[in-house]
Amino acid sequence: MEREKLLQAVEKELPRSRFEHTLRVAETAVRLADRFGADKEKADLAGILHDYCKYWPDERMRDWILRHHLPSDLLHYNKELWHAPVGAEAVRECLGVTDPEVLDAIRYHTTGRPNMTRLEQVVFLADYIEPGRRFPGVDEVRAVAESDLDRAVLMALDNTIRFLIDRGQKVYPLTLMARNDVLERVSGKNSS
């Protein structure tokens, strides 16, 4: 499906403010991809599609998790995580997107995972730092993202984990594993 048709399909699923966020994520993802050597077209596509089903009813997403054999432990964590793995399946099934790199960038944009690809990191970070985001710590992450993708992703993961802990919420295990993995890479850079 061509880009314009995908944009129209996404726009139908989202409120105006979230669609505008999606456009900013895609634009930020392309800039980051260019800066850090990821595929710009795939970054654009994943950015456009990353929140495709964010506003689906909880029951619909729960059904997709079960029907598509997604990790059932998701059901025991914050529902805000669900739209990423469900979204990867939904854009594959509903919109015909089959590129595994794009689907994984969508799938892991909320949790991260160990050994994230450059594209996955770019989309994860673009969602976190797009220009419409306003919360404590985002400007510091944006500044680091000018020169160090790994360090910026680590900062975003650290901030997210702190946010959840401060609110007494559970942290999804994949997020902790992603953080530890990126920390090892960043620590390795510092020791060389």
Side-chain angles (χ1 to χ4, degrees), residues 3-13 19:
R3 186 178 192 276
E4 277 311 307
K5 287 194 165 80
L6 290 172
L7 279 168
Q8 290 169 5
V10 169
E11 188 171 21
K12 288 179 189 170
E13 297 290 332
F19 182 66

Side-chain angles (χ1 to χ4, degrees), residues 136-168:
V138 72
D139 288 332
E140 290 83 358
V141 178
R142 284 184 185 120
V144 171
E146 291 296 316
S147 61
D148 191 331
L149 182 63
D150 284 335
R151 188 174 301 283
V153 168
L154 178 62
M155 289 173 71
L157 286 163
D158 283 349
N159 290 348
T160 299
I161 291 167
R162 262 190 230 100
F163 176 86
L164 293 169
I165 290 170
D166 288 348
R167 280 151 191 78

Side-chain angles (χ1 to χ4, degrees), residues 81-99:
L81 300 177
W82 297 1
H83 74 280
V86 171
E89 294 303 315
V91 301
R92 184 182 53 74
E93 195 170 295
C94 302
L95 303 178
V97 175
T98 58
D99 186 310

Side-chain angles (χ1 to χ4, degrees), residues 165-181:
I165 290 170
D166 288 348
R167 280 151 191 78
Q169 296 180 12
K170 294 190 288 186
V171 179
Y172 193 60
L174 209 52
T175 303
L176 293 170
M177 291 188 291
R179 188 258 178 197
N180 291 342
D181 177 66

